[in-house]
Amino acid sequence: MNQKIRIGLVGYGNIGRGVELAINQFPDMEGIAVFTRRNPAEVNSVLPAIKIDDILNYKNDIDVLILCGGSATDLPQQGPELAKHFSTIDSYDNHAKIPAYFEDMDNSAKEGQNVSIISVGWDPGLFSINRALFEAVLPVGQTYTFWGKGLSQGHSDAIRRITGVKKGVQYTVPLDQALEKVRKGLNPSLSTREKHIRICYVVSDEGADQSKIEQTIKTMPNYFEPYETVVHFIDEEQFEKDHQQMPHGGFVIRTGESGAGSKQKAEFQLDLESNPEFTSSVLVAYVRAAVKFKKEGKTGAFSVLDVPMSYLSDKSPEQLRKELL
Amino acid sequence: MNQKIRIGLVGYGNIGRGVELAINQFPDMEGIAVFTRRNPAEVNSVLPAIKIDDILNYKNDIDVLILCGGSATDLPQQGPELAKHFSTIDSYDNHAKIPAYFEDMDNSAKEGQNVSIISVGWDPGLFSINRALFEAVLPVGQTYTFWGKGLSQGHSDAIRRITGVKKGVQYTVPLDQALEKVRKGLNPSLSTREKHIRICYVVSDEGADQSKIEQTIKTMPNYFEPYETVVHFIDEEQFEKDHQQMPHGGFVIRTGESGAGSKQKAEFQLDLESNPEFTSSVLVAYVRAAVKFKKEGKTGAFSVLDVPMSYLSDKSPEQLRKELL
């Protein structure tokens, strides 16, 4: 029997918790430990929690580290340090800074003769794969990305700061008429705000002026004023029942014309009840690719665009051709 | 300036014509010639038409051959012969026989130190990529593939090879109630025949035995036997009026549950005005992968599951990361 792939987690927020759960769904993987900057005694993980300062003692016990930190400050610092000592997977998602982050990770991973797969998840990630695929196979055309229905943490916080609001969430939802134009192949020019609508669910304090709350939301500069915004008032029971998760998703659509002018459309959709759980599951799948790349003697940084689908599976190439091709 | 990739076409049916047109949309490619079993003077291609018997004289003029023949009889014979002498791309689509075809192509391509990418197109092809991706990132779940509504080139070819058939087309139509059940995440158990119906329109030769033709179609293994199949005999005038377009498309849907039980859905869709033109465009895109594999010293047969997205693009890895990741 083959040894399982031994995974270490760095960080234990939403993604760390998601990865710990996801590993149970991958029969060829096992979680070894969670490495944390916090006091390990205060981390409520199932896996052993260990101080990040001791991580180098685990070099022989871990095949791949999944870096579960955020892109703003955690990954730019931790990533290049850890890639010198471990193969890594991360979900770095600051699109504008990906080229610089890639360079840093590539240098570190090559120095340590490791493999680092960066920006794994769904956008960047599965959406990127389909954007690249669509552009390659339909060279004359236009690609659109829509996000949502998805929960926006910053906008939900902004709603909750308004006087008279007890609880509130905000979802970003693609606008039907924009989606329709794109799907019809009309190739519209659309800014982000022309593609999306903001829908808010609010529980107001007893006796609060709901019309005033709605007006405050809709006229809030930057956050809501530039967008079409819809506000629904609901009771607390409904809120607890329907708005406790972190759903997200979206669409990548390319319309184009092939050689003799025929219209062709390709579309990729995700509809996720839990954004962090899905991202975590994608991260774990890419562990297999890191292990296979390393076995082949590859070193350095890679993105999802460099990984063939067969490298994500625990099935043999023969089995994949037979069952999935 | 880099030399363009030089492409030879084998066969000049719908796919051959589509490939000849598609090459114009790929600035890094050029078509060299069409190789044909027919009298070249009777082939109305834009590219020079050349007798297939002379193809070995062109070994130094061609980087990759695109095999544009059908899966029923052309490819199983031509493919392994030509792979000994050229790198090849084909759209072999007889799912049940892919493993055997892969072995034949792998042996020939290795013997000739060439690269053969088989079963390129959209199913097998883009659908296979997404089936493999979905299964890898959502290991607990179920994947469904629906085809149509559209004309199936492979199945229409199969009908036209039957003795007594003058003209014939086959439309695959997904059943709405099955699609709905799947999208709702109900995980229905659906046999292929519960998901689709196959509708055939046939013009028979004068004096042909129509009931024998119908029986031959309905009992054809792999192609028709597993499905509910309806055969309509129509006259030639009606055929020319109603059945000249070759639309197709379909859906790959996976619904599953991630670590903590959240429901997740991924869906891939194609809506194609011209199936052969789209397939042709995909074939041309994979030429780039064959060239890159060969440069890396790889030999043998590969499928779309072995090809990273970055190998399909003429953009540099840096540009891809910046623009599409």
Side-chain angles (χ1 to χ4, degrees):
Chain A
M1 195 183 132
N2 288 327
Q3 206 194 354
K4 290 190 178 191
I5 300 172
R6 301 163 303 168
I7 299 174
L9 285 63
V10 179
Y12 199 70
N14 284 326
I15 296 291
R17 278 188 290 273
V19 167
E20 186 178 56
L21 282 162
I23 290 171
N24 299 325
Q25 296 191 323
F26 291 75
D28 54 333
M29 315 259 189
E30 67 179 319
I32 300 297
V34 170
F35 298 94
T36 178
R37 286 172 303 198
R38 290 183 273 166
N39 175 359
E42 289 166 11
V43 174
N44 62 342
S45 57
V46 178
L47 294 171
I50 291 162
K51 272 187 97 77
I52 185 103
D53 301 337
D54 297 332
I55 196 167
L56 294 187
N57 299 335
Y58 290 80
K59 279 186 80 161
N60 296 326
D61 304 305
I62 282 169
D63 299 307
V64 178
L65 278 184
I66 299 182
L67 310 183
C68 307
S71 302
T73 57
D74 299 334
L75 293 175
Q77 191 215 345
Q78 289 178 343
E81 277 175 26
L82 292 169
K84 289 178 192 168
H85 306 287
F86 295 91
S87 287
T88 66
I89 308 288
D90 70 56
S91 61
Y92 187 83
D93 67 357
N94 188 341
H95 287 260
K97 293 185 178 172
I98 282 174
Y101 183 69
F102 181 91
E103 285 308 313
D104 288 349
M105 291 299 279
D106 194 47
N107 290 334
S108 289
K110 278 180 175 148
E111 187 185 323
Q113 298 196 285
N114 292 313
V115 168
S116 288
I117 308 182
I118 70 156
S119 299
V120 175
W122 58 274
D123 195 1
L126 274 56
F127 274 22
S128 322
I129 287 171
N130 279 286
R131 280 191 289 260
L133 179 61
F134 293 174
E135 184 179 280
V137 303
L138 266 184
V140 177
Q142 206 165 337
T143 303
Y144 296 85
T145 301
F146 290 80
W147 296 275
K149 177 187 176 180
L151 184 125
S152 164
Q153 203 55 57
H155 289 77
S156 299
D157 288 345
I159 291 172
R160 289 191 284 262
R161 283 195 289 268
I162 295 169
T163 306
V165 170
K166 190 171 184 185
K167 294 182 171 173
V169 289
Q170 190 265 195
Y171 300 100
T172 304
V173 180
L175 270 169
D176 279 341
Q177 62 261 42
L179 265 173
E180 268 320 292
K181 277 185 196 164
V182 167
R183 287 192 174 130
K184 279 184 184 156
L186 302 178
N187 287 354
S189 290
L190 296 168
S191 64
T192 302
R193 70 182 54 179
E194 288 173 311
K195 291 194 291 185
H196 302 95
I197 183 173
R198 298 195 179 280
I199 299 183
C200 313
Y201 292 89
V202 177
V203 180
S204 56
D205 290 324
E206 224 178 295
D209 182 344
Q210 294 190 338
S211 66
K212 194 179 162 193
I213 291 171
E214 180 168 347
Q215 196 58 19
T216 305
I217 293 173
K218 287 184 169 178
T219 57
M220 197 183 294
N222 304 318
Y223 280 84
F224 292 101
E225 187 275 328
Y227 292 84
E228 187 182 338
T229 301
V230 175
V231 180
H232 297 293
F233 288 94
I234 58 176
D235 64 33
E236 195 160 2
E237 193 186 351
Q238 189 80 30
F239 189 94
E240 296 298 333
K241 181 170 161 279
D242 294 342
H243 302 286
Q244 294 309 298
Q245 285 181 303
M246 285 174 276
H248 220 308
F251 307 81
V252 176
I253 304 171
R254 187 170 179 87
T255 57
E257 284 190 7
S258 52
S262 302
K263 285 192 170 186
Q264 317 282 19
K265 180 168 79 71
E267 180 164 344
F268 179 76
Q269 304 180 2
L270 287 174
D271 184 0
L272 310 173
E273 231 173 57
S274 167
N275 179 5
E277 275 182 41
F278 185 73
T279 299
S280 301
S281 194
V282 178
L283 285 164
V284 176
Y286 275 83
V287 164
R288 291 176 179 144
V291 170
K292 289 174 189 171
F293 276 180
K294 180 136 186 180
K295 256 185 204 149
E296 291 176 357
K298 290 192 167 105
T299 62
F302 301 88
S303 82
V304 294
L305 303 179
D306 304 311
V307 179
M309 296 307 122
S310 57
Y311 281 53
L312 302 182
S313 179
D314 60 340
K315 292 180 176 173
S316 69
E318 292 75 19
Q319 203 180 352
L320 283 172
R321 283 193 295 272
K322 194 172 177 214
E323 294 177 12
L324 295 179
L325 190 60
Chain B
M1 195 184 134
N2 288 329
Q3 208 195 348
K4 289 189 178 190
I5 301 172
R6 301 163 305 169
I7 299 174
L9 286 62
V10 178
Y12 198 70
N14 285 323
I15 295 292
R17 279 188 289 275
V19 167
E20 187 177 55
L21 282 162
I23 290 171
N24 299 324
Q25 296 190 323
F26 291 76
D28 53 333
M29 315 261 188
E30 68 179 317
I32 299 298
V34 170
F35 298 94
T36 178
R37 285 171 304 197
R38 291 183 274 165
N39 175 358
E42 287 166 12
V43 173
N44 62 345
S45 56
V46 177
L47 294 171
I50 291 162
K51 272 187 99 75
I52 185 100
D53 301 337
D54 297 332
I55 195 167
L56 294 187
N57 299 334
Y58 290 80
K59 280 187 78 160
N60 295 326
D61 303 306
I62 282 167
D63 298 308
V64 178
L65 278 185
I66 299 182
L67 310 182
C68 306
S71 301
T73 58
D74 299 333
L75 292 175
Q77 190 213 347
Q78 289 179 344
E81 278 175 26
L82 292 169
K84 290 178 191 166
H85 305 287
F86 295 91
S87 285
T88 66
I89 309 288
D90 70 56
S91 60
Y92 187 83
D93 67 357
N94 188 340
H95 288 261
K97 293 186 177 169
I98 282 175
Y101 183 69
F102 181 92
E103 286 307 315
D104 288 348
M105 291 298 281
D106 195 46
N107 290 334
S108 289
K110 278 181 175 146
E111 186 186 324
Q113 297 196 289
N114 292 312
V115 169
S116 289
I117 308 182
I118 71 155
S119 300
V120 174
W122 59 273
D123 195 1
L126 273 57
F127 274 22
S128 322
I129 287 171
N130 279 286
R131 279 192 289 260
L133 179 60
F134 293 173
E135 183 179 281
V137 302
L138 266 183
V140 176
Q142 208 165 337
T143 303
Y144 297 85
T145 301
F146 290 81
W147 298 275
K149 178 183 182 178
L151 185 144
S152 165
Q153 196 56 41
H155 289 77
S156 297
D157 282 346
I159 290 174
R160 288 191 287 262
R161 282 170 214 282
I162 296 169
T163 306
V165 170
K166 189 171 186 185
K167 293 181 173 174
V169 290
Q170 189 263 195
Y171 299 97
T172 305
V173 182
L175 293 167
D176 276 343
Q177 65 264 37
L179 206 46
E180 268 320 290
K181 275 185 196 161
V182 166
R183 286 204 175 116
K184 280 183 183 155
L186 300 178
N187 287 353
S189 287
L190 296 168
S191 65
T192 38
R193 65 189 316 155
E194 286 173 310
K195 291 192 294 182
H196 308 92
I197 182 168
R198 296 198 180 277
I199 302 180
C200 311
Y201 293 89
V202 176
V203 180
S204 57
D205 290 326
E206 225 178 291
D209 183 346
Q210 293 191 339
S211 67
K212 193 178 165 196
I213 291 170
E214 181 168 347
Q215 196 58 20
T216 305
I217 293 172
K218 288 183 168 177
T219 58
M220 198 181 294
N222 303 320
Y223 280 83
F224 290 102
E225 186 277 324
Y227 297 85
E228 184 182 343
T229 300
V230 176
V231 180
H232 298 293
F233 288 94
I234 58 175
D235 65 34
E236 196 160 1
E237 190 185 353
Q238 193 178 346
F239 189 94
E240 295 298 332
K241 182 168 158 281
D242 294 343
H243 302 288
Q244 295 309 298
Q245 300 294 101
M246 286 174 278
H248 218 313
F251 310 82
V252 177
I253 305 170
R254 187 171 180 87
T255 57
E257 284 191 6
S258 53
S262 302
K263 286 194 168 187
Q264 318 280 18
K265 180 168 80 73
E267 180 165 345
F268 179 76
Q269 303 180 2
L270 288 174
D271 184 0
L272 311 173
E273 229 174 58
S274 168
N275 179 4
E277 277 182 39
F278 186 75
T279 299
S280 300
S281 194
V282 177
L283 285 164
V284 176
Y286 275 82
V287 165
R288 291 178 180 142
V291 170
K292 289 174 191 172
F293 276 180
K294 180 135 185 178
K295 256 186 203 147
E296 290 175 357
K298 291 193 166 106
T299 62
F302 301 87
S303 83
V304 295
L305 302 179
D306 304 311
V307 179
M309 297 306 121
S310 57
Y311 281 52
L312 304 182
S313 178
D314 60 340
K315 293 179 176 171
S316 69
E318 292 76 18
Q319 203 180 350
L320 283 172
R321 283 193 294 272
K322 195 175 174 206
E323 294 178 12
L324 295 180
L325 192 59

